[in-house]
Amino acid sequence: MSDATEAGEPAEPTGSDEGGAGGRRVRVVLVDDHRMFRTGVQAEIGRTDITGVEVVGEAADVDQAVTVITAARPEVVLLDVHLPGGGGVEVLRRCSPLMADAGNPVRFLALSVSDAAEDVIGVIRGGARGYVTKTITGTDLVDSIFRVQEGDAVFSPRLAGFVLDAFASTDAPPVDEDLDRLTQREREVLRLIARGYAYKEIAKQLYISVKTVESHVSAVLRKLQLSNRHELTRWATARRLV
Amino acid sequence: MPEAAAPPLDAVRPLRKLYRSGDGRWLGGVARGLAGHLGLPVIWVRLIFVGLFTADGLGALLYGAFWFFVPLGIGGVDAERPPAAVTTDTSPDGRRRLVARKPDKGQIVALLAMVVVSMVFVGNVDLDGSTKAYVVPTLLVAAGVALVWRQADNARRARWMAVGRRRRTLTLARSAAGVLLVGAGVSGIFVLQGSAAHLGAVLQAALAVLVGIALLAGPYLVRMTQDLSEERLMRIRAQERAEVAAHVHDSVLHTLTLIQRNAERASEVRRLARAQERDLRVWLYKPEGTGKDEDEEPDTLAEAVRHSAAEIEDKHGVPIEVVVVGDCSLDDRLTAQMQAAREAMVNAAKYGGEGGAVQVFAEVEEEKVFVSVRDRGPGFDLDSVPDDRMGVRESIIGRMQRNGGTARLRAVPGGGTEVELVMERTATT
């Protein structure tokens, strides 16, 4: 497992660094069946004194992940979508009590190379707070980890595209108007994410605050997770055929 | 439909085996199958059968024999009928399968006509009274046997379709009906022979023998079918494994070798890795696209965007991330928009590639198509570009305007340039 090299070192991150800004620390568990990838991510983000991210555990399959997460109680889990033993969705299912814990919730950020819509939508529906692709840069990943830790949602451009696509088809009447439709503003925000804008840029573009952007994105995530529309799953499957 | 692009059937089937046609048939598909086999128009074959039918029902006998013994197959389609008529669909796992077709009108008419004609025929045939009495039971037996035998056809078709789509109950009901018909026919014959008194005893004895056989052979048969299906599964798995291995060997290993050779040239390594990644993604996640060559001309908007992005990525070594929402087919105006988008991507890759990946977003809406291409380069000011530099003005802005769309270039707050292209969609699409 992790050899926590940190051990109360007083060296605080330089204030300019995005991730470690304000001296925050976040404890992370890495779940991925590729040891090489775990090592790479660990090297990129696990320099605790610089990034503020402390990797407190690693796991390579579903059973191991559940054990490690339960024992380490991290704030954020970086979760691979494809895992032996049932995949990321299974980890989410078995860790749902930890996610629901109001005092010290464990939050999940899906991290995958997969390009398939149903993989992505699957983990999001399973309760993950966001999804990023493995090509993401170290800085962006650290940024995403902090955002998830604060309870925010993290959408990659691709995920935003998937969501826009899924909510675009209006052939079936929505079961719940509030959940099954995106508001105009949410749609705008998603479009800008899909176009590669960062939250700050979106805020500037739409003349709103970053906080408002965050709340729009969180609202979309909630709709995605709670939405009754069964065609979401169907859409994800059909998407492969397009 | 990829079927439309398939070469003519004769070219791909050097070994012409006679099959009954499962497609576009009226009755058993015999005529169509024969026509395909002999290279004759179907209507000729059908006329010949009708002609033979008048000769003491020889046609019917022949037809029946063919129906019985020739296996059902796909194809056997006559030349002028496009092969696309075979209805296929793609299941979620990407495999093609035949779609169960509802019998069309022609089929029902043909069936009815056949029943009427045979009634008349049977009525007209001059048989003496005692023989005539056997006609009905014989027909019953024949119908029962046909019903059960045709089951084989359905089993065959079910294999083309997704496994388990046909409800088992239907199969059972069918077999039961067949057995019942045969039983009734045989009993009828017994009754006519006057041995009805012994019928009960005979049936009991027959039943006992059947049960005995079932007890003896049952386990063996079950075992055999299990073994067979297991073997088939293993074979399919082995085949899939071989396919994966072949692909990995052909493309991935080659790319890795090339990367090792070009290790000191970072841009080349990146280019190779990106190209391979794209290729592998298409292969893994889009089973539909596997047969499609990248060089083929794209015919939908999403394909066109991805196609251009891939080419430019290869050429300039700058990663281009593409997100497409919705899709539609290309018309003249959208083609123009795609050309403008391509130009914008080239510019972004050339002048803004150092800042990171170029991001392309295309959305197909009800009434318009929106495309945005953004880079994170040093930025670009249209006013500062001398008038003689026609690249942007002509091939992006001018092209869009000529085709009734709009193009907008602007600096992004966070750095870089974004090109926005909007084109109205034609009402018909």
Short mmCIF file of all heavy atoms in Angstrom, two decimals, chain B residues 30 47 71 96 121 132 141 146 184 204 213 221 226 230 265 323 348 356 376 420 427:
data_model
loop_
_atom_site.label_atom_id
_atom_site.label_comp_id
_atom_site.label_asym_id
_atom_site.label_seq_id
_atom_site.Cartn_x
_atom_site.Cartn_y
_atom_site.Cartn_z
N VAL B 30 -38.25 -21.58 -52.24
CA VAL B 30 -37.63 -22.53 -53.16
C VAL B 30 -37.35 -21.86 -54.50
O VAL B 30 -36.23 -21.92 -55.03
CB VAL B 30 -38.52 -23.77 -53.36
CG1 VAL B 30 -37.98 -24.64 -54.48
CG2 VAL B 30 -38.60 -24.56 -52.07
N LEU B 47 -43.15 -19.59 -62.68
CA LEU B 47 -44.04 -20.00 -63.76
C LEU B 47 -43.83 -21.47 -64.09
O LEU B 47 -44.78 -22.22 -64.31
CB LEU B 47 -43.80 -19.13 -65.00
CG LEU B 47 -44.46 -17.75 -64.93
CD1 LEU B 47 -44.10 -16.93 -66.15
CD2 LEU B 47 -45.98 -17.89 -64.81
N PRO B 71 -31.82 -26.78 -47.35
CA PRO B 71 -31.77 -25.94 -46.15
C PRO B 71 -32.02 -24.47 -46.49
O PRO B 71 -31.75 -24.02 -47.60
CB PRO B 71 -30.33 -26.12 -45.64
CG PRO B 71 -29.56 -26.50 -46.85
CD PRO B 71 -30.49 -27.27 -47.73
N ARG B 96 -24.06 -8.06 -36.32
CA ARG B 96 -25.21 -7.95 -37.19
C ARG B 96 -26.10 -9.17 -36.99
O ARG B 96 -25.64 -10.25 -36.73
CB ARG B 96 -24.76 -7.93 -38.65
CG ARG B 96 -23.97 -6.73 -38.89
CD ARG B 96 -23.73 -6.52 -40.37
NE ARG B 96 -23.26 -5.19 -40.48
CZ ARG B 96 -24.03 -4.15 -40.31
NH1 ARG B 96 -25.31 -4.32 -40.08
NH2 ARG B 96 -23.55 -2.96 -40.39
N PHE B 121 -57.83 -29.05 -56.64
CA PHE B 121 -57.09 -30.16 -57.21
C PHE B 121 -57.50 -31.48 -56.57
O PHE B 121 -57.87 -32.43 -57.24
CB PHE B 121 -55.59 -29.90 -57.00
CG PHE B 121 -54.70 -30.92 -57.64
CD1 PHE B 121 -54.56 -30.95 -59.02
CD2 PHE B 121 -54.03 -31.85 -56.87
CE1 PHE B 121 -53.76 -31.88 -59.61
CE2 PHE B 121 -53.22 -32.80 -57.46
CZ PHE B 121 -53.07 -32.81 -58.84
N LYS B 132 -60.30 -42.16 -51.26
CA LYS B 132 -60.57 -40.75 -51.01
C LYS B 132 -60.70 -40.47 -49.52
O LYS B 132 -60.32 -39.40 -49.04
CB LYS B 132 -61.86 -40.35 -51.73
CG LYS B 132 -61.94 -38.86 -52.02
CD LYS B 132 -63.00 -38.57 -53.04
CE LYS B 132 -62.96 -37.11 -53.44
NZ LYS B 132 -63.85 -36.85 -54.57
N VAL B 141 -51.44 -35.70 -41.38
CA VAL B 141 -50.11 -36.19 -41.03
C VAL B 141 -49.05 -35.33 -41.70
O VAL B 141 -48.08 -34.89 -41.07
CB VAL B 141 -49.94 -37.67 -41.46
CG1 VAL B 141 -48.48 -38.09 -41.27
CG2 VAL B 141 -50.86 -38.55 -40.65
N ALA B 146 -44.77 -31.44 -41.49
CA ALA B 146 -44.20 -30.19 -42.03
C ALA B 146 -43.98 -29.19 -40.91
O ALA B 146 -42.96 -28.51 -40.84
CB ALA B 146 -45.14 -29.61 -43.08
N ALA B 184 -53.52 -37.23 -34.77
CA ALA B 184 -54.89 -37.25 -35.27
C ALA B 184 -54.97 -37.96 -36.61
O ALA B 184 -55.88 -38.77 -36.86
CB ALA B 184 -55.41 -35.81 -35.39
N GLN B 204 -51.42 -46.96 -26.10
CA GLN B 204 -50.73 -47.21 -24.83
C GLN B 204 -49.37 -47.85 -25.07
O GLN B 204 -48.35 -47.43 -24.52
CB GLN B 204 -51.57 -48.14 -23.97
CG GLN B 204 -52.44 -47.38 -22.99
CD GLN B 204 -53.31 -48.31 -22.18
OE1 GLN B 204 -53.00 -49.48 -22.00
NE2 GLN B 204 -54.42 -47.77 -21.68
N ILE B 213 -37.83 -45.25 -24.72
CA ILE B 213 -36.74 -44.69 -25.53
C ILE B 213 -36.23 -43.40 -24.92
O ILE B 213 -35.02 -43.16 -24.81
CB ILE B 213 -37.23 -44.44 -26.98
CG1 ILE B 213 -37.43 -45.79 -27.69
CG2 ILE B 213 -36.22 -43.60 -27.75
CD1 ILE B 213 -38.04 -45.66 -29.05
N LEU B 221 -28.78 -37.73 -24.98
CA LEU B 221 -29.07 -36.62 -25.90
C LEU B 221 -28.77 -35.28 -25.22
O LEU B 221 -28.17 -34.39 -25.82
CB LEU B 221 -30.53 -36.66 -26.33
CG LEU B 221 -30.85 -37.66 -27.45
CD1 LEU B 221 -32.34 -37.70 -27.72
CD2 LEU B 221 -30.08 -37.28 -28.72
N GLN B 226 -25.43 -30.47 -24.79
CA GLN B 226 -24.61 -29.61 -23.93
C GLN B 226 -23.18 -29.53 -24.43
O GLN B 226 -22.61 -28.45 -24.56
CB GLN B 226 -24.62 -30.14 -22.50
CG GLN B 226 -25.79 -29.62 -21.68
CD GLN B 226 -25.87 -30.27 -20.33
OE1 GLN B 226 -25.11 -31.20 -20.05
NE2 GLN B 226 -26.78 -29.80 -19.51
N GLU B 230 -21.30 -26.22 -25.83
CA GLU B 230 -20.07 -25.81 -25.16
C GLU B 230 -18.92 -25.69 -26.15
O GLU B 230 -18.17 -24.72 -26.16
CB GLU B 230 -19.72 -26.83 -24.08
CG GLU B 230 -18.73 -26.31 -23.07
CD GLU B 230 -18.54 -27.30 -21.94
OE1 GLU B 230 -19.54 -27.91 -21.52
OE2 GLU B 230 -17.41 -27.49 -21.53
N ARG B 265 12.61 11.40 -31.21
CA ARG B 265 11.81 12.45 -31.85
C ARG B 265 10.43 12.51 -31.21
O ARG B 265 9.52 11.78 -31.55
CB ARG B 265 11.68 12.17 -33.34
CG ARG B 265 12.99 12.47 -34.07
CD ARG B 265 13.06 11.77 -35.37
NE ARG B 265 11.99 12.15 -36.28
CZ ARG B 265 11.66 11.43 -37.35
NH1 ARG B 265 12.28 10.30 -37.59
NH2 ARG B 265 10.71 11.84 -38.14
N VAL B 323 -15.64 16.64 -29.54
CA VAL B 323 -16.91 16.29 -28.89
C VAL B 323 -18.02 16.63 -29.87
O VAL B 323 -18.13 17.77 -30.32
CB VAL B 323 -17.10 17.09 -27.58
CG1 VAL B 323 -18.47 16.79 -26.99
CG2 VAL B 323 -16.01 16.77 -26.59
N ALA B 348 -5.64 26.33 -35.99
CA ALA B 348 -5.47 26.13 -34.55
C ALA B 348 -4.27 25.24 -34.27
O ALA B 348 -3.47 25.50 -33.37
CB ALA B 348 -6.74 25.52 -33.96
N GLY B 356 -1.57 23.39 -25.83
CA GLY B 356 -2.30 22.20 -25.41
C GLY B 356 -3.21 21.74 -26.52
O GLY B 356 -3.13 22.22 -27.65
N ARG B 376 -5.42 27.08 -27.41
CA ARG B 376 -4.95 27.84 -26.27
C ARG B 376 -3.60 28.47 -26.60
O ARG B 376 -2.71 28.53 -25.78
CB ARG B 376 -4.86 26.95 -25.03
CG ARG B 376 -6.23 26.54 -24.54
CD ARG B 376 -6.17 25.56 -23.40
NE ARG B 376 -7.52 25.28 -22.91
CZ ARG B 376 -8.17 26.04 -22.06
NH1 ARG B 376 -7.62 27.14 -21.60
NH2 ARG B 376 -9.40 25.71 -21.67
N GLU B 420 -16.09 30.26 -34.20
CA GLU B 420 -17.45 29.72 -34.10
C GLU B 420 -18.10 29.75 -35.47
O GLU B 420 -18.16 30.79 -36.12
CB GLU B 420 -18.28 30.57 -33.13
CG GLU B 420 -17.82 30.47 -31.70
CD GLU B 420 -18.58 31.43 -30.79
OE1 GLU B 420 -19.38 32.24 -31.31
OE2 GLU B 420 -18.37 31.37 -29.59
N ALA B 427 -34.44 22.86 -44.43
CA ALA B 427 -35.68 22.45 -43.77
C ALA B 427 -35.97 20.97 -43.93
O ALA B 427 -36.59 20.35 -43.08
CB ALA B 427 -36.84 23.28 -44.32
#
